[in-house]
Amino acid sequence: MVAISSSLLSLHQETTNAHLTHYSFSIPTKPPRNKTKPVSLTIVSSGSDIRKEEVVIVGAGIAGLSCAVSLHRLGVRSLVLEQAESLRTGGTSLTLFKNGWKVLDAMGVGDELRSQYLEVKGIVIKTKEGRELRSFTFQDEDQTQEVRAVERKTLLETLAKQLPADSITFSSKLAKIGKHEDGETLLELVNGTRISSKVVIGCDGIRSPVAKWMGYSEAKYVGYCAFRGLGDYPNGQPYESRVNYIYGRGIRAAYVPVSTTKVYWFVCFNSPEPGPKITEPSVLKRKAKELIKKWPSELQNIIDATPDDTIIRTPLVDRWLWPGLSPPASSGGTVLVGDAWHPMTPNLGQGACCALEDAIVLVQKLAPSLKAGPEAIEDAFKSYQNERWPRIFPMTVRANVTGAVLQLENPLVCAIRDNLLVPKLIKLGPMLEHTNFECKPLLQTKV
């Protein structure tokens, strides 16, 4: 695995000049989940209670905030709708390779993030008994490579603070998507707010209602889950700045220093079903440790150093964008970005990097078209899809196949992996060719 990588409130608004500026909160009744019924589509006539926007972004995750920041730097205002009551700063950390850093540099936030996180120098791979199989140094394989694990919380907060104060509205859960009589997309929120927008960018994650409305199927479970956490060392962590992989049979794990005081870890394990959601933090830690109880003590110690409430368990999923079978990335004035369009497993460490790439490619095509009308916008969306699909589809497949091979349990296959494939045949350079990506800086323009 080259990855180091994973209660809703309704908003009652008091409006001031049609802006959502004052809030009070209450807990709504959660309707039963319907897995097959799409978000409803209706044609709605104009009304004085409909707020008008040029660009609305659904979701304030990495993809959504990256789109908003990129647009802002080009002088385009956007409204970001986030269903949670604040930024979703839970979770652990994510890996950014050189392609992700190039996008963050283009958005003007790369150096601020670099200063907080260690550069990962290389990789060492061991068996569960502790025998070293292979080690790599990134610079020896690719002198331009840059790898750092970044806390999700810090990345989101860094992106959000680049935006004007009124750019993100929280507790804004999407209820319906429709078409306004003027051809724009109409969004209706659970709290009753209605917004008509020339452009809607769906960045609402793996279970995206926007993607569902556009005809996409649910992401498919790939047969294994991951425990993840962030070990906390207030007095300084003792580990070298490299990724430490440990391979077992049907189980694999890794840990990597994120900063001088944090160490990210994961444990991937086979499971025929995703299993029930576990919410008790102490149970998550116990189950993670049970999977590796006979493995090297370093990993056990890092899990022990992890605050219980920061450990998560995630069923891993993906969706393959089959040519000619999958819906297009856009429909009218609506387009998908990141996990909403192409959820992938974290086996290449490219989920966040691809979301960043999507955002900058889309925005550089979209921004000049906004004043030209609907046809120019649709052309920009098609150009975005045509550029991104040849990169995204094979990467999603490759990540899936990589994970499937690493999760094999057959003793003979694992023996070949540990005694031939990893020690003698694998070359890291070709395995990281997917991190090659170029983009132009986004020149700052006043909104």
Side-chain angles (χ1 to χ4, degrees):
M1 187 186 225
V2 187
I4 310 152
S5 353
S6 251
S7 68
L8 187 62
L9 303 182
S10 68
L11 171 66
H12 299 280
Q13 69 173 59
E14 300 170 19
T15 58
T16 302
N17 294 329
H19 290 284
L20 305 179
T21 53
H22 303 289
Y23 309 108
S24 61
F25 301 100
S26 64
I27 299 176
T29 301
K30 186 176 180 180
R33 183 179 178 187
N34 188 321
K35 294 185 178 180
T36 58
K37 184 179 179 182
V39 178
S40 60
L41 169 62
T42 54
I43 305 297
V44 180
S45 59
S46 60
S48 59
D49 62 338
I50 296 178
R51 176 177 175 174
K52 300 284 286 184
E53 294 287 343
E54 185 172 42
V55 179
V56 170
I57 298 169
V58 182
I62 295 168
L65 293 180
S66 297
C67 286
V69 171
S70 298
L71 286 166
H72 178 64
R73 287 187 68 86
L74 295 180
V76 178
R77 183 190 181 280
S78 63
L79 174 68
V80 183
L81 304 178
E82 170 53 51
Q83 68 173 359
E85 60 187 84
S86 62
L87 285 178
R88 296 191 180 197
T89 53
T92 54
S93 73
L94 47 94
T95 310
L96 296 177
F97 287 80
K98 65 179 181 181
N99 51 328
W101 288 106
K102 285 181 179 180
V103 177
L104 293 172
D105 285 336
M107 292 193 296
V109 298
D111 286 342
E112 180 177 349
L113 289 163
R114 279 189 186 89
S115 66
Q116 302 176 64
Y117 297 103
L118 300 174
E119 183 170 5
V120 181
K121 301 298 185 182
I123 296 173
V124 61
I125 303 172
K126 298 180 180 181
T127 66
K128 62 184 179 65
E129 292 81 18
R131 176 167 65 96
E132 182 173 323
L133 302 177
R134 192 78 175 273
S135 63
F136 302 93
T137 301
F138 286 123
Q139 289 293 317
D140 289 345
E141 302 292 333
D142 177 2
Q143 292 185 354
T144 66
Q145 189 59 257
E146 179 180 9
V147 186
R148 298 173 198 266
V150 175
E151 289 179 77
R152 175 182 171 84
K153 176 179 185 292
T154 305
L155 176 56
L156 292 181
E157 290 175 346
T158 300
L159 292 171
K161 72 181 183 181
Q162 311 302 314
L163 300 171
D166 61 348
S167 297
I168 308 172
T169 64
F170 297 103
S171 299
S172 299
K173 184 177 182 180
L174 185 63
K176 297 179 182 178
I177 305 177
K179 284 294 182 182
H180 196 265
E181 62 180 5
D182 61 6
E184 293 189 352
T185 302
L186 183 70
L187 306 176
E188 183 173 332
L189 308 185
V190 169
N191 59 36
T193 301
R194 297 197 297 170
I195 304 169
S196 178
S197 183
K198 181 187 298 184
V199 170
V200 172
I201 306 176
C203 302
D204 44 345
I206 291 172
R207 296 172 183 82
S208 165
V210 178
K212 186 177 180 180
W213 173 68
M214 291 172 60
Y216 281 86
S217 61
E218 291 189 4
K220 183 180 179 181
Y221 175 59
V222 297
Y224 50 94
C225 302
F227 286 103
R228 309 182 218 205
L230 204 58
D232 188 18
Y233 295 81
N235 297 320
Q237 53 85 10
Y239 302 104
E240 290 185 52
S241 185
R242 62 184 187 180
V243 188
N244 298 270
Y245 287 110
I246 308 168
Y247 290 166
R249 288 169 47 189
I251 302 176
R252 56 192 158 119
Y255 62 92
V256 61
V258 175
S259 66
T260 56
T261 59
K262 300 288 180 65
V263 179
Y264 168 67
W265 60 269
F266 72 78
V267 178
C268 257
F269 62 98
N270 290 346
S271 176
E273 300 292 337
K277 184 176 181 179
I278 302 173
T279 56
E280 177 56 44
S282 62
V283 174
L284 290 171
K285 176 178 279 191
R286 176 173 56 81
K287 286 186 174 293
K289 291 186 66 177
E290 285 174 355
L291 289 168
I292 55 162
K293 59 185 177 183
K294 295 182 180 180
W295 288 29
S297 59
E298 280 188 350
L299 184 56
Q300 297 271 1
N301 295 338
I302 294 168
I303 296 177
D304 284 335
T306 303
D308 287 0
D309 60 357
T310 66
I311 298 176
I312 60 174
R313 177 187 181 277
T314 311
L316 300 182
V317 301
D318 65 10
R319 181 168 58 228
W320 295 15
L321 302 177
W322 290 106
L325 298 177
S326 297
S330 64
S331 176
T334 303
V335 66
L336 298 174
V337 170
D339 283 346
W341 184 24
H342 49 75
M344 67 177 66
T345 56
N347 298 299
L348 300 180
Q350 285 296 302
C353 291
C354 284
L356 291 166
E357 288 182 15
D358 282 356
I360 198 166
V361 171
L362 173 64
V363 166
Q364 287 179 329
K365 295 177 183 297
L366 174 62
S369 72
L370 286 170
K371 302 302 181 185
E375 289 187 7
I377 292 171
E378 290 187 27
D379 287 344
F381 288 167
K382 289 176 183 176
S383 177
Y384 158 73
Q385 174 179 293
N386 291 340
E387 180 173 335
R388 295 300 295 156
W389 182 88
R391 180 163 169 78
I392 292 301
F393 177 61
M395 198 179 297
T396 303
V397 175
R398 183 178 174 187
N400 181 290
V401 172
T402 299
V405 171
L406 292 176
Q407 291 297 136
L408 289 173
E409 301 180 24
N410 183 281
L412 178 59
V413 173
C414 291
I416 294 172
R417 175 195 67 194
D418 295 348
N419 294 289
L420 178 63
L421 184 62
V422 173
K424 298 180 180 180
L425 298 182
I426 286 182
K427 293 184 178 180
L428 187 60
M431 291 181 64
L432 293 177
E433 287 181 353
H434 60 264
T435 65
N436 294 324
F437 176 78
E438 298 297 333
C439 61
K440 298 177 181 178
L442 296 166
L443 302 177
Q444 185 78 53
T445 304
K446 289 186 177 181
V447 178

